Amino acid sequence: MMKKVYLFLISCLGLMLMPDMQLYAQEESAQKPAYITVTTLHWNMDKEDFDMDKWKAMEKEYFDKVTAKNEHIIGSGVYLHRFTPDNRELISVTVYPSWEAIDKSGARDGELVKEGWPDEQARKAFFDDRNSYYSDFHSDEIYAPMDNVKPLTSPGEKILLVRRSQLKFPQDGSYDEFNKAHTDYVNNVFKKNDLVKGYYPVMHAWGADRREMVEAFYVDSMDDLDKMFEKNNELFMAKWNTDELREEMQAMATKYFTGVHGDYIYTMVPELRK
Protein backbone atom coordinates (compact mmCIF):
# COMPACT_ATOMS: atom_id res chain seq x y z
CA MET A 1 0.00 0.00 0.00
CA MET A 2 2.80 2.44 0.79
CA LYS A 3 4.17 2.43 -2.75
CA LYS A 4 0.73 3.42 -4.06
CA VAL A 5 0.65 6.29 -1.56
CA TYR A 6 3.96 7.47 -2.98
CA LEU A 7 2.49 7.26 -6.47
CA PHE A 8 -0.52 9.41 -5.68
CA LEU A 9 1.25 12.03 -3.63
CA ILE A 10 4.15 12.70 -5.93
CA SER A 11 1.90 12.85 -8.98
CA CYS A 12 0.56 16.10 -7.56
CA LEU A 13 3.81 17.89 -6.78
CA GLY A 14 3.98 20.29 -9.69
CA LEU A 15 0.73 21.98 -8.83
CA MET A 16 1.39 24.17 -5.83
CA LEU A 17 -0.13 27.61 -6.28
CA MET A 18 2.65 29.86 -7.62
CA PRO A 19 0.69 32.04 -10.07
CA ASP A 20 3.27 34.70 -10.90
CA MET A 21 5.88 32.16 -11.93
CA GLN A 22 3.49 30.08 -14.01
CA LEU A 23 1.55 32.83 -15.75
CA TYR A 24 4.75 34.58 -16.76
CA ALA A 25 5.85 31.41 -18.53
CA GLN A 26 2.53 31.22 -20.38
CA GLU A 27 2.79 34.79 -21.66
CA GLU A 28 5.89 34.08 -23.74
CA SER A 29 3.70 33.09 -26.68
CA ALA A 30 0.22 34.33 -27.53
CA GLN A 31 -0.68 30.85 -28.78
CA LYS A 32 0.10 29.08 -25.53
CA PRO A 33 -2.84 28.36 -23.20
CA ALA A 34 -3.06 31.01 -20.49
CA TYR A 35 -6.51 30.32 -19.01
CA ILE A 36 -8.90 27.40 -19.06
CA THR A 37 -12.58 27.81 -18.26
CA VAL A 38 -14.57 24.81 -17.07
CA THR A 39 -18.36 25.06 -17.16
CA THR A 40 -20.33 22.34 -15.42
CA LEU A 41 -23.74 21.93 -17.05
CA HIS A 42 -26.66 19.69 -16.12
CA TRP A 43 -29.11 17.82 -18.30
CA ASN A 44 -32.77 18.83 -18.18
CA MET A 45 -34.16 15.65 -16.67
CA ASP A 46 -37.74 16.78 -17.35
CA LYS A 47 -37.27 16.85 -21.13
CA GLU A 48 -39.61 14.18 -22.46
CA ASP A 49 -38.23 13.97 -26.01
CA PHE A 50 -34.56 13.78 -25.01
CA ASP A 51 -32.55 12.36 -27.92
CA MET A 52 -28.79 11.97 -27.46
CA ASP A 53 -28.13 11.69 -31.19
CA LYS A 54 -30.09 14.87 -31.86
CA TRP A 55 -28.28 16.67 -29.02
CA LYS A 56 -24.92 15.65 -30.44
CA ALA A 57 -25.92 16.75 -33.95
CA MET A 58 -27.03 20.15 -32.65
CA GLU A 59 -23.86 20.66 -30.65
CA LYS A 60 -21.79 19.62 -33.68
CA GLU A 61 -23.62 22.19 -35.80
CA TYR A 62 -22.90 24.87 -33.20
CA PHE A 63 -19.29 23.72 -32.95
CA ASP A 64 -18.76 23.89 -36.73
CA LYS A 65 -20.42 27.29 -37.13
CA VAL A 66 -19.15 29.02 -33.97
CA THR A 67 -16.51 27.39 -31.75
CA ALA A 68 -14.32 26.06 -34.57
CA LYS A 69 -14.32 29.48 -36.27
CA ASN A 70 -13.69 31.58 -33.15
CA GLU A 71 -10.05 32.66 -33.39
CA HIS A 72 -9.97 33.63 -29.70
CA ILE A 73 -10.51 30.00 -28.65
CA ILE A 74 -7.45 27.78 -29.07
CA GLY A 75 -8.96 24.61 -27.66
CA SER A 76 -12.23 23.16 -26.36
CA GLY A 77 -13.93 19.92 -25.42
CA VAL A 78 -17.15 18.44 -24.04
CA TYR A 79 -17.16 15.54 -21.58
CA LEU A 80 -20.07 13.42 -20.35
CA HIS A 81 -20.58 11.88 -16.91
CA ARG A 82 -19.23 8.36 -16.55
CA PHE A 83 -18.45 7.98 -12.83
CA THR A 84 -19.12 11.19 -10.88
CA PRO A 85 -21.40 12.06 -7.93
CA ASP A 86 -24.03 13.55 -10.27
CA ASN A 87 -25.25 11.65 -13.34
CA ARG A 88 -26.85 14.83 -14.74
CA GLU A 89 -23.60 16.66 -15.26
CA LEU A 90 -21.46 17.29 -18.32
CA ILE A 91 -18.51 19.65 -18.55
CA SER A 92 -17.47 22.09 -21.25
CA VAL A 93 -13.79 23.10 -21.32
CA THR A 94 -12.49 26.11 -23.26
CA VAL A 95 -8.85 27.19 -23.63
CA TYR A 96 -7.78 30.81 -24.20
CA PRO A 97 -4.40 32.42 -25.01
CA SER A 98 -5.02 35.44 -22.73
CA TRP A 99 -7.47 37.01 -20.30
CA GLU A 100 -8.54 39.47 -22.99
CA ALA A 101 -9.43 36.57 -25.29
CA ILE A 102 -12.13 35.43 -22.85
CA ASP A 103 -14.04 38.68 -23.33
CA LYS A 104 -13.34 38.86 -27.06
CA SER A 105 -14.51 35.30 -27.65
CA GLY A 106 -17.95 36.11 -26.24
CA ALA A 107 -18.42 38.97 -28.68
CA ARG A 108 -17.08 36.86 -31.54
CA ASP A 109 -19.50 34.04 -30.66
CA GLY A 110 -22.37 36.51 -31.09
CA GLU A 111 -21.14 37.52 -34.53
CA LEU A 112 -20.68 33.92 -35.65
CA VAL A 113 -24.12 32.93 -34.37
CA LYS A 114 -25.73 35.56 -36.59
CA GLU A 115 -23.61 34.46 -39.54
CA GLY A 116 -24.42 30.79 -38.97
CA TRP A 117 -28.18 31.32 -38.53
CA PRO A 118 -28.95 34.52 -40.45
CA ASP A 119 -32.72 34.05 -40.27
CA GLU A 120 -33.85 35.33 -36.86
CA GLN A 121 -36.79 32.97 -36.56
CA ALA A 122 -34.74 29.91 -37.49
CA ARG A 123 -32.00 31.05 -35.11
CA LYS A 124 -34.43 31.34 -32.21
CA ALA A 125 -35.91 27.91 -32.94
CA PHE A 126 -32.47 26.28 -33.03
CA PHE A 127 -31.29 27.77 -29.74
CA ASP A 128 -34.60 27.18 -27.97
CA ASP A 129 -34.33 23.52 -28.94
CA ARG A 130 -30.64 23.34 -27.99
CA ASN A 131 -31.19 25.04 -24.63
CA SER A 132 -34.06 22.69 -23.79
CA TYR A 133 -31.52 19.91 -23.19
CA TYR A 134 -29.98 21.77 -20.22
CA SER A 135 -31.20 22.84 -16.82
CA ASP A 136 -30.89 26.49 -15.82
CA PHE A 137 -28.13 25.76 -13.30
CA HIS A 138 -24.46 25.77 -14.24
CA SER A 139 -21.16 26.68 -12.55
CA ASP A 140 -17.85 28.06 -13.82
CA GLU A 141 -14.22 27.76 -12.76
CA ILE A 142 -11.09 29.30 -14.27
CA TYR A 143 -7.73 27.51 -14.13
CA ALA A 144 -4.17 28.35 -15.12
CA PRO A 145 -2.34 25.60 -17.05
CA MET A 146 0.93 24.24 -15.72
CA ASP A 147 4.11 23.07 -17.41
CA ASN A 148 4.93 19.38 -17.97
CA VAL A 149 1.99 18.62 -20.25
CA LYS A 150 1.84 15.40 -22.23
CA PRO A 151 -0.27 16.51 -25.24
CA LEU A 152 -3.12 14.36 -26.45
CA THR A 153 -2.37 13.45 -30.07
CA SER A 154 -4.17 10.15 -30.70
CA PRO A 155 -7.62 10.33 -32.36
CA GLY A 156 -10.94 8.91 -31.23
CA GLU A 157 -13.04 8.81 -28.09
CA LYS A 158 -11.15 8.86 -24.80
CA ILE A 159 -11.83 8.27 -21.14
CA LEU A 160 -10.94 11.30 -19.01
CA LEU A 161 -9.89 10.91 -15.38
CA VAL A 162 -9.97 14.17 -13.43
CA ARG A 163 -8.21 14.22 -10.07
CA ARG A 164 -8.84 17.18 -7.77
CA SER A 165 -6.47 17.63 -4.84
CA GLN A 166 -5.97 20.11 -2.00
CA LEU A 167 -2.79 22.13 -1.65
CA LYS A 168 -0.92 23.26 1.42
CA PHE A 169 1.02 26.53 1.48
CA PRO A 170 4.20 25.93 3.56
CA GLN A 171 6.19 28.97 4.62
CA ASP A 172 9.44 27.26 3.66
CA GLY A 173 8.17 26.08 0.28
CA SER A 174 9.76 27.11 -3.01
CA TYR A 175 8.86 26.96 -6.69
CA ASP A 176 12.15 25.32 -7.61
CA GLU A 177 11.61 22.53 -5.11
CA PHE A 178 8.17 21.38 -6.17
CA ASN A 179 8.67 22.09 -9.89
CA LYS A 180 11.78 19.93 -10.03
CA ALA A 181 9.93 17.07 -8.35
CA HIS A 182 6.96 17.34 -10.68
CA THR A 183 9.15 17.54 -13.79
CA ASP A 184 11.09 14.47 -12.70
CA TYR A 185 7.91 12.56 -12.04
CA VAL A 186 6.16 13.44 -15.30
CA ASN A 187 9.27 12.74 -17.39
CA ASN A 188 9.92 9.38 -15.76
CA VAL A 189 6.36 8.12 -15.28
CA PHE A 190 3.58 9.71 -17.33
CA LYS A 191 5.65 10.42 -20.43
CA LYS A 192 7.04 6.87 -20.40
CA ASN A 193 3.63 5.28 -19.89
CA ASP A 194 2.10 4.56 -23.30
CA LEU A 195 -1.31 4.10 -21.71
CA VAL A 196 -1.36 7.79 -20.73
CA LYS A 197 -2.44 9.35 -24.02
CA GLY A 198 -2.59 12.86 -22.59
CA TYR A 199 -1.82 14.58 -19.29
CA TYR A 200 -2.79 18.16 -18.37
CA PRO A 201 -2.07 19.63 -14.93
CA VAL A 202 -3.78 22.91 -14.01
CA MET A 203 -4.14 25.05 -10.91
CA HIS A 204 -6.80 27.33 -9.47
CA ALA A 205 -6.91 30.84 -10.90
CA TRP A 206 -10.45 32.04 -10.03
CA GLY A 207 -13.09 29.94 -8.34
CA ALA A 208 -14.48 28.59 -5.11
CA ASP A 209 -11.36 27.04 -3.56
CA ARG A 210 -7.84 28.46 -3.91
CA ARG A 211 -6.39 25.18 -2.62
CA GLU A 212 -7.63 23.24 -5.62
CA MET A 213 -5.37 21.72 -8.25
CA VAL A 214 -6.50 19.42 -11.03
CA GLU A 215 -4.81 16.72 -13.09
CA ALA A 216 -6.49 15.42 -16.26
CA PHE A 217 -5.50 12.01 -17.65
CA TYR A 218 -6.64 10.70 -21.04
CA VAL A 219 -6.72 6.95 -21.75
CA ASP A 220 -8.33 4.86 -24.49
CA SER A 221 -10.66 2.76 -22.32
CA MET A 222 -11.78 1.92 -18.78
CA ASP A 223 -9.57 -1.18 -18.91
CA ASP A 224 -6.59 1.01 -19.71
CA LEU A 225 -7.39 3.23 -16.74
CA ASP A 226 -6.68 0.39 -14.30
CA LYS A 227 -3.62 -0.63 -16.26
CA MET A 228 -2.38 2.98 -16.26
CA PHE A 229 -2.19 3.03 -12.46
CA GLU A 230 -0.31 -0.26 -12.42
CA LYS A 231 2.19 0.93 -15.04
CA ASN A 232 2.63 4.28 -13.30
CA ASN A 233 3.51 2.42 -10.13
CA GLU A 234 6.03 0.18 -11.92
CA LEU A 235 7.73 3.18 -13.49
CA PHE A 236 7.80 5.05 -10.20
CA MET A 237 9.35 2.11 -8.34
CA ALA A 238 11.95 1.68 -11.08
CA LYS A 239 13.02 5.34 -10.97
CA TRP A 240 12.94 5.83 -7.19
CA ASN A 241 14.33 2.42 -6.42
CA THR A 242 15.41 2.73 -2.79
CA ASP A 243 13.50 3.30 0.44
CA GLU A 244 15.53 6.45 1.05
CA LEU A 245 14.56 7.99 -2.30
CA ARG A 246 10.89 7.13 -1.81
CA GLU A 247 10.89 8.57 1.70
CA GLU A 248 12.32 11.83 0.35
CA MET A 249 9.54 12.03 -2.22
CA GLN A 250 6.87 11.23 0.37
CA ALA A 251 8.18 13.98 2.64
CA MET A 252 8.08 16.44 -0.24
CA ALA A 253 4.51 15.52 -1.15
CA THR A 254 3.33 15.73 2.46
CA LYS A 255 4.86 19.19 2.66
CA TYR A 256 2.76 20.56 -0.20
CA PHE A 257 -0.48 18.53 -0.14
CA THR A 258 -3.13 17.68 2.44
CA GLY A 259 -3.64 14.20 0.96
CA VAL A 260 -7.34 14.88 0.29
CA HIS A 261 -8.41 14.23 -3.29
CA GLY A 262 -11.42 13.25 -5.40
CA ASP A 263 -11.57 11.35 -8.71
CA TYR A 264 -14.08 11.95 -11.51
CA ILE A 265 -14.38 9.98 -14.76
CA TYR A 266 -15.85 11.38 -17.97
CA THR A 267 -16.26 10.26 -21.58
CA MET A 268 -14.96 12.58 -24.29
CA VAL A 269 -17.19 13.61 -27.17
CA PRO A 270 -14.54 13.55 -29.95
CA GLU A 271 -16.73 15.35 -32.51
CA LEU A 272 -16.75 18.43 -30.24
CA ARG A 273 -13.02 18.70 -29.61
CA LYS A 274 -11.03 21.64 -30.95
Side-chain angles (χ1 to χ4, degrees):
M1 288 297 293
M2 183 58 71
K3 65 183 181 181
K4 293 187 180 295
V5 172
Y6 291 136
L7 173 61
F8 160 64
L9 289 173
I10 200 60
S11 72
C12 303
L13 265 179
L15 297 157
M16 181 180 174
L17 185 61
M18 299 292 261
D20 292 340
M21 298 290 291
Q22 290 302 309
L23 296 183
Y24 177 82
Q26 296 296 343
E27 290 171 356
E28 292 178 359
S29 170
Q31 293 306 307
K32 287 185 178 180
Y35 294 100
I36 298 171
T37 63
V38 178
T39 299
T40 301
L41 301 158
H42 294 83
W43 297 119
N44 176 10
M45 303 299 282
D46 296 325
K47 184 174 174 60
E48 295 181 357
D49 58 344
F50 189 102
D51 184 326
M52 182 61 77
D53 290 336
K54 182 179 178 181
W55 167 81
K56 188 178 293 186
M58 294 179 71
E59 289 297 340
K60 183 63 165 63
E61 182 177 356
Y62 181 88
F63 175 84
D64 290 340
K65 292 181 176 180
V66 181
T67 305
K69 294 182 178 181
N70 191 329
E71 65 272 21
H72 303 296
I73 296 174
I74 61 175
S76 67
V78 175
Y79 305 88
L80 307 181
H81 154 89
R82 183 102 179 202
F83 292 100
T84 71
D86 189 343
N87 71 305
R88 300 170 301 168
E89 75 176 9
L90 62 160
I91 57 174
S92 175
V93 179
T94 310
V95 184
Y96 301 95
S98 68
W99 183 259
E100 292 75 16
I102 297 176
D103 288 332
K104 290 179 179 178
S105 72
R108 183 61 174 143
D109 278 352
E111 295 171 354
L112 291 167
V113 164
K114 290 183 179 180
E115 291 175 13
W117 295 268
D119 180 81
E120 184 176 355
Q121 187 173 359
R123 181 167 67 243
K124 183 179 185 304
F126 176 84
F127 283 95
D128 284 348
D129 198 6
R130 178 176 180 249
N131 292 338
S132 71
Y133 281 83
Y134 304 105
S135 73
D136 293 331
F137 173 74
H138 78 272
S139 61
D140 298 297
E141 299 283 340
I142 302 178
Y143 296 95
M146 303 290 293
D147 294 329
N148 300 319
V149 166
K150 181 177 183 178
L152 175 62
T153 58
S154 59
E157 184 177 288
K158 295 287 183 289
I159 297 298
L160 173 66
L161 168 67
V162 175
R163 171 161 288 178
R164 301 176 183 271
S165 300
Q166 288 183 359
L167 297 162
K168 291 180 182 177
F169 303 94
Q171 293 295 320
D172 60 342
S174 73
Y175 171 80
D176 288 342
E177 184 175 62
F178 74 75
N179 190 58
K180 181 181 183 305
H182 183 250
T183 300
D184 287 347
Y185 188 88
V186 172
N187 287 344
N188 287 285
V189 179
F190 298 154
K191 290 187 177 180
K192 291 183 178 180
N193 188 340
D194 291 338
L195 295 167
V196 179
K197 302 303 181 182
Y199 170 71
Y200 294 85
V202 299
M203 63 183 178
H204 164 275
W206 280 269
D209 189 347
R210 72 185 289 260
R211 300 170 302 171
E212 187 179 53
M213 54 72 54
V214 179
E215 292 174 291
F217 301 83
Y218 289 86
V219 297
D220 282 333
S221 66
M222 290 298 295
D223 285 343
D224 282 353
L225 190 58
D226 287 334
K227 295 174 184 177
M228 178 195 77
F229 286 115
E230 295 175 3
K231 186 62 176 179
N232 283 348
N233 196 62
E234 291 176 11
L235 291 166
F236 173 76
M237 298 296 284
K239 172 62 179 177
W240 290 274
N241 55 10
T242 68
D243 287 342
E244 182 179 3
L245 290 174
R246 294 173 196 141
E247 287 170 5
E248 288 177 1
M249 295 297 266
Q250 167 116 28
M252 190 78 68
T254 302
K255 180 177 179 178
Y256 289 111
F257 289 86
T258 68
V260 175
H261 81 280
D263 294 322
Y264 307 80
I265 302 176
Y266 300 90
T267 302
M268 172 202 287
V269 184
E271 299 91 338
L272 304 179
R273 182 170 184 265
K274 180 176 181 178

